[in-house]
Amino acid sequence: MKALILAGGYGTRLRPLSCTKPKLLFPIANKPLLEWVLERLSGVGVSTVVLAVNYRADMIRSFCGDEKYGLKILYSQEKTPLGTGGPIKLAEKVLSLEEGEKLLILNGDIFSNVNFDELKKVHDEQVSRWGAVLTLTLFEVEDPRRYGVVETNQDGKVLKFIEKPEQKEGVSKNINAGVYLTDQRIFGYLKEGRHSIEREVFPVLAEQGLLFGYKHTGLWMDIGKIEDYMAANFKVLEQTAKNQPKIGENVELASNVKIIPPTIIGSNTKIGEGSRIGPYTVIGENVSIGKSCRIRESVLFSGITVESGSAVTSSIVGDNVSMGENVRIGKGSVIGEGVTIANNVKLASKVFVCPYKEVNFSVLRSKHIM
Ligand code: GTP
């Protein structure tokens, strides 16, 4: 079996963080999302992974190289973004599937524990029974409007596929979870150039009775939006650091530092006297936090400096941000990579700061600083 990961989206909903980092390299509990995905693929009989890249491809290439977790990594590079169908067609040659070889296709921004063995079992049954071309992983959500809604019959055959329905009433709650199993026959349904597999291929396969569903009931999160990205971090915090904070190597904690779980602190980070960190907080590697700081319900990337007396609440702070003394970052703010914030600056809730800005004035209303 080979795997293809769609890894080329701009991630516009994750701006300003995605202006300098592709979504797949966003850390979840201090480990890039792509690493979580590759780690899971390494134990399920996948030999080769092709990454369909476009935006910030250089960063993805230097992160993965040509081998990771024992998986051979190849790249399919688009010149322009080809959507969700075009990159699969473009990757046909690089994948060079052999007769009967399976292809697992993954949207790269999904954080889940889909059971690939179960998916394969269900797909193989549907292939021998009905000649299935593709099996979609399905997941039940309360409000399916942001997703592709899938209606199946009792045999698991997809009767209808509706991408992003306008109403949530009267439609199924089972959505396309962005994890598919197929084989080389899929290339016959895809064209060259930009197109959407969800809008242009799945409805055709459903019409022909060749599209099937496998219901996943475990963990599934799409990290496409800021709130979802935070939620994925909080989920791992609950699973791994609920009662006891997880502290990396060479972390220096001064006296009277209070770490409230669930909290994860990355290696080589220093925390000054009297600071309180947590709950629901992830601090990256090589972060320096001064005296009497207060950081809670937040995700701090790596290489950040926070000087004494500063506070961050329910926010995300990008790599290498430098924060002066007595700074306040209010709820729902997102600070882009390399931003410098002067002493005593207060940012109210939902302030979004673009990368490398210098902020030396307070902002008392929700605002984008560009
Ligand atoms: P938004 O701009 O916030 O919608 O994010 P996005 O560009 O990543 O789009 P979306 O969330 O719909 O993408 C779902 C998956 O497909 C992600 O893993 C993306 O990286 C990937 N993807 C989206 N567009 C492209 C593309 O044009 N080329 C490739 N190779 N992958 C893509």
Side-chain angles (χ1 to χ4, degrees):
M1 182 156 73
K2 286 179 178 152
L4 174 66
I5 304 180
L6 296 181
Y10 286 116
T12 50
R13 292 166 296 161
L14 291 177
R15 285 179 184 160
L17 297 165
S18 56
C19 297
T20 49
K21 198 191 265 295
K23 186 160 49 173
L24 274 72
L25 297 186
F26 275 41
I28 296 183
N30 281 344
K31 182 154 105 182
L33 171 61
L34 184 54
E35 200 169 331
W36 286 97
V37 175
L38 294 175
E39 202 177 6
R40 292 211 64 243
L41 288 177
S42 68
V44 294
V46 170
S47 58
T48 304
V49 176
V50 174
L51 294 169
V53 291
N54 176 54
Y55 176 66
R56 297 265 159 187
D58 51 329
M59 292 178 78
I60 295 183
R61 281 174 190 265
S62 60
F63 177 74
C64 288
D66 52 16
E67 203 223 290
K68 200 122 186 139
Y69 293 107
L71 300 162
K72 184 174 175 189
I73 312 282
L74 300 173
Y75 299 86
S76 173
Q77 172 83 53
E78 291 149 61
K79 291 198 183 82
T80 56
L82 296 177
T84 51
I88 305 173
K89 182 72 179 167
L90 186 73
E92 184 175 0
K93 277 210 190 91
V94 182
L95 281 161
S96 66
L97 293 183
E98 284 164 24
E99 184 73 34
E101 194 172 26
K102 295 274 181 295
L103 173 62
L104 187 61
I105 303 177
L106 307 159
N107 276 359
D109 56 352
I110 303 298
F111 183 64
S112 79
N113 62 0
V114 170
N115 186 329
F116 299 124
D117 290 329
E118 284 284 310
L119 168 63
K120 186 168 173 298
K121 221 164 84 191
V122 169
H123 178 68
D124 286 346
E125 272 166 29
Q126 303 295 25
V127 171
S128 54
R129 221 166 140 206
W130 307 99
V133 167
L134 186 141
T135 301
L136 299 166
T137 303
L138 309 179
F139 187 71
E140 193 170 320
V141 296
E142 204 30 59
D143 183 355
R145 281 173 296 181
R146 281 171 54 196
Y147 306 100
V149 170
V150 185
E151 274 174 35
T152 51
N153 68 11
Q154 69 278 18
D155 294 321
K157 189 178 279 193
V158 176
L159 302 176
K160 240 189 204 168
F161 186 97
I162 315 159
E163 185 63 10
K164 301 192 175 78
E166 277 168 19
Q167 294 174 355
K168 63 176 178 176
E169 288 74 29
V171 295
S172 155
K173 286 188 163 38
N174 284 332
I175 56 120
N176 167 18
V179 179
Y180 324 128
L181 196 60
T182 183
D183 56 48
Q184 61 193 8
R185 288 171 299 155
I186 192 62
F187 298 117
Y189 289 85
L190 295 157
K191 58 187 186 201
E192 277 164 21
R194 185 178 174 89
H195 67 288
S196 155
I197 193 169
E198 295 88 355
R199 291 182 195 276
E200 294 172 56
V201 176
F202 292 158
V204 174
L205 283 173
E207 185 81 35
Q208 295 178 357
L210 298 173
L211 186 64
F212 288 79
Y214 155 71
K215 183 88 180 263
H216 166 66
T217 50
L219 172 72
W220 185 87
M221 302 175 106
D222 156 358
I223 69 146
K225 292 197 306 180
I226 292 286
E227 305 80 64
D228 302 332
Y229 168 68
M230 287 291 259
N233 276 279
F234 291 171
K235 189 82 189 174
V236 182
L237 277 167
E238 278 172 357
Q239 286 175 344
T240 63
K242 187 154 191 202
N243 302 316
Q244 184 76 20
K246 226 172 114 186
I247 315 256
E249 285 174 14
N250 297 322
V251 168
E252 287 178 32
L253 303 179
S255 57
N256 289 326
V257 168
K258 194 157 181 356
I259 312 252
I260 307 152
T263 286
I264 297 176
I265 315 262
S267 47
N268 304 314
T269 281
K270 293 183 189 145
I271 302 179
E273 203 183 311
S275 287
R276 279 166 66 92
I277 313 291
Y280 288 92
T281 296
V282 182
I283 310 273
E285 295 179 357
N286 300 305
V287 173
S288 169
I289 296 175
K291 291 182 188 167
S292 307
C293 291
R294 181 75 185 97
I295 297 176
R296 53 180 304 156
E297 292 128 27
S298 294
V299 176
L300 271 59
F301 287 18
S302 294
I304 295 165
T305 306
V306 182
E307 289 184 30
S308 300
S310 291
V312 180
T313 308
S314 305
S315 293
I316 310 176
V317 181
D319 291 314
N320 305 320
V321 166
S322 175
M323 232 179 266
E325 291 179 5
N326 297 315
V327 166
R328 294 280 174 280
I329 308 283
K331 280 185 182 175
S333 295
V334 182
I335 314 298
E337 178 177 323
V339 166
T340 304
I341 304 178
N343 291 345
N344 303 313
V345 163
K346 312 256 175 299
L347 301 183
S349 64
K350 296 206 170 170
V351 176
F352 295 79
V353 186
C354 279
Y356 300 101
K357 286 278 148 198
E358 290 188 12
V359 186
N360 43 26
F361 48 87
S362 290
V363 178
L364 303 175
R365 262 180 285 137
S366 165
K367 189 177 172 171
H368 289 249
I369 302 177
M370 309 219 272

